[in-house]
Amino acid sequence: WNFTWWWFFLVFMCATQDIAVDGWALTLLSPSNLSYASTAQTVGLTAGQFMSYTVFLAFNAPDFANKYFRSIPQPTGIITLGGYLIFWGWAYLLVTACLAVLKREERTKNTDGIWEVYKVMGGILQLRNIQLFIVVHLIAKIGFQANDAVTNLKLLDKGFSQEDLALTVLIDFPFEISLGYYAGKWCSQYPPMKLWCWAFVGRLVAAAFAQVTVMIFPTASSAAAHVGVPFWYLATVIVEHVFSTFMSTVMFVAVSAFHARIADPVIGGTYMTLLATVSNLGGTFPRFFVLKFVDLFTVATCTPPPSGQLPAELKGVPVTEPFSCVLEAEKHRCLEGGGSCAISTDGYYIVNILCILIGVVTFWSFIRPTALRLQALPLRAWRIAE
């Protein structure tokens, strides 16, 4: 419980800061430059996520450090978790202190309490346009959920090394930063939801491209002649990853620009955070069902080793009879018992195709016409009564 309360406090502070920054962006930027709020958000979020997650995992991994930075292998990475946390903790406090001391703002005249804010949110949710937009957000990301949630796991499962995946993401990092900037510029030149629709189609194509990339994974015999996978396949994975990330970034920047455009400046932080929360929920709740259906459609059998050919050192109970090894725990039990887990039907391919079909049908029948219709509405259609 002590651990839970500390994390509740941390997430509460992060959410409060997030709302404050959203409202701050609306007051700082002129209406003609509101699209750059999403650009700054995209560049900042992307840089933060990569620095705190992908970059850390890459430089913390001994295999990655030994392969690309050392001539003499060592059992540890270049950086440690403790040192990384301490450095960025002080950097976070320093930036916050500089903003508090150096930035001067006009004192707000808004004296609404918490109850008034929730009443405002209730008024926003009663708008017919907001209700339609929420439905769009909740179903829009189903089409590429299998790609987002499972593709990298399937690559690792087939034998793609973690250091190659880390290298792929590191190469993708500068592309995502620069593409986020250009996506913000495009949102100031083109209607953001039309740009969002173009990127939607691109993400469906990227999901199909990802499935082909997994299907053409080189066999063990062809990969054995190389260190890891062949270069052509590594380049294919990098291209697929950059293309998928590009389309995802354009969608995020475009819809964030639209959020900033329709948000009422008086309650801008609350308005934008409400829409962003629904958008994030649309990319989160389908993932549970996607992962469940991947396991449901997968057929994998653990085959015991031939009699008398058990490995010399077993990590678990010897496998004597075939059993299903779809679940990760059963797969580990199979391998630790000397058996071999063979997949006869991969549920990833089935679920990914189903997701793409759902995405195509919902996009052309509902999402695209609704998004373009909402974009054409005047700003007063997004305001609640005084």
Side-chain angles (χ1 to χ4, degrees):
W1 281 107
N2 187 37
F3 181 82
T4 302
W5 283 117
W6 272 111
W7 275 102
F8 175 82
F9 172 77
L10 178 62
V11 173
F12 181 80
M13 291 292 104
C14 289
T16 304
Q17 187 188 52
D18 189 32
I19 295 172
V21 170
D22 284 340
W24 192 32
L26 291 179
T27 59
L28 282 176
L29 299 173
S30 62
S32 60
N33 287 329
L34 275 180
S35 61
Y36 289 105
S38 57
T39 301
Q41 188 180 31
T42 302
V43 173
L45 281 173
T46 302
Q49 288 172 350
F50 273 78
M51 293 299 292
S52 63
Y53 179 67
T54 308
V55 174
F56 165 72
L57 289 180
F59 287 100
N60 182 250
D63 293 340
F64 182 80
N66 293 334
K67 184 173 182 179
Y68 295 104
F69 295 100
R70 292 172 178 157
S71 56
I72 301 177
Q74 297 182 19
T76 58
I78 297 176
I79 57 178
T80 63
L81 175 61
Y84 206 64
L85 282 174
I86 291 172
F87 172 79
W88 284 113
W90 282 109
Y92 194 96
L93 292 175
L94 179 63
V95 171
T96 304
C98 290
L99 281 175
V101 173
L102 301 178
K103 178 60 184 174
R104 290 289 178 262
E105 298 179 89
E106 294 182 4
R107 185 169 296 276
T108 178
K109 298 178 181 179
N110 189 356
T111 58
D112 290 343
I114 295 178
W115 177 244
E116 284 76 12
V117 172
Y118 278 105
K119 287 175 63 177
V120 168
M121 292 178 65
I124 296 171
L125 291 173
Q126 291 176 14
L127 293 174
R128 173 65 176 169
N129 303 326
I130 288 292
Q131 293 170 358
L132 280 174
F133 200 27
I134 287 175
V135 173
V136 169
H137 272 315
L138 290 178
I139 67 173
K141 297 180 182 178
I142 296 176
F144 19 85
Q145 276 304 299
N147 178 29
D148 293 347
V150 190
T151 296
N152 284 346
L153 298 177
K154 278 298 170 185
L155 287 174
L156 293 173
D157 192 46
K158 281 181 169 286
F160 197 73
S161 65
Q162 291 186 359
E163 55 265 30
D164 284 340
L165 185 60
L167 175 64
T168 301
V169 180
L170 283 176
I171 292 175
D172 179 59
F173 175 58
F175 284 98
E176 187 163 355
I177 293 291
S178 57
L179 291 172
Y181 168 75
Y182 284 107
K185 294 191 67 174
W186 297 334
C187 287
S188 62
Q189 299 172 1
Y190 304 100
M193 292 309 292
K194 181 175 287 188
L195 194 65
W196 183 85
C197 289
W198 294 343
F200 189 105
V201 176
R203 286 190 77 177
L204 292 177
V205 174
F209 183 19
Q211 177 162 331
V212 173
T213 302
V214 174
M215 292 176 68
I216 64 172
F217 188 88
T219 60
S221 59
S222 63
H226 304 79
V227 179
V229 296
F231 175 77
W232 67 267
Y233 188 78
L234 178 61
T236 302
V237 173
I238 292 173
V239 171
E240 181 272 322
H241 209 281
V242 170
F243 179 65
S244 181
T245 301
F246 170 51
M247 293 302 165
S248 177
T249 301
V250 173
M251 277 191 71
F252 177 78
V253 174
V255 80
S256 298
F258 186 66
H259 290 171
R261 181 173 298 181
I262 66 176
D264 190 341
V266 178
I267 50 173
T270 304
Y271 212 124
M272 288 182 64
T273 304
L274 176 64
L275 294 175
T277 300
V278 176
S279 178
N280 291 335
L281 181 62
T284 306
F285 88 88
R287 191 160 298 192
F288 170 81
F289 299 100
V290 164
L291 294 174
K292 283 292 184 182
F293 278 116
V294 168
D295 286 344
L296 181 64
F297 288 120
T298 298
V299 178
T301 304
C302 179
T303 304
S307 57
Q309 298 185 17
L310 282 174
E313 296 182 1
L314 287 177
K315 297 181 180 179
V317 180
V319 176
T320 57
E321 295 181 355
F323 61 88
S324 174
C325 55
V326 172
L327 301 179
E328 193 68 20
E330 298 301 316
K331 179 180 178 181
H332 282 296
R333 182 165 75 90
C334 174
L335 298 178
E336 291 173 356
S340 59
C341 184
I343 299 176
S344 55
T345 303
D346 197 330
Y348 162 70
Y349 301 135
I350 300 173
V351 174
N352 192 45
I353 291 174
L354 288 175
C355 286
I356 293 173
L357 291 176
I358 292 172
V360 171
V361 172
T362 56
F363 177 74
W364 290 108
S365 63
F366 175 75
I367 294 174
R368 182 178 180 274
T370 302
L372 296 181
R373 186 169 70 251
L374 292 176
Q375 181 176 248
L377 295 174
L379 287 180
R380 66 176 180 273
W382 303 95
R383 303 291 184 256
I384 60 176
E386 293 294 336

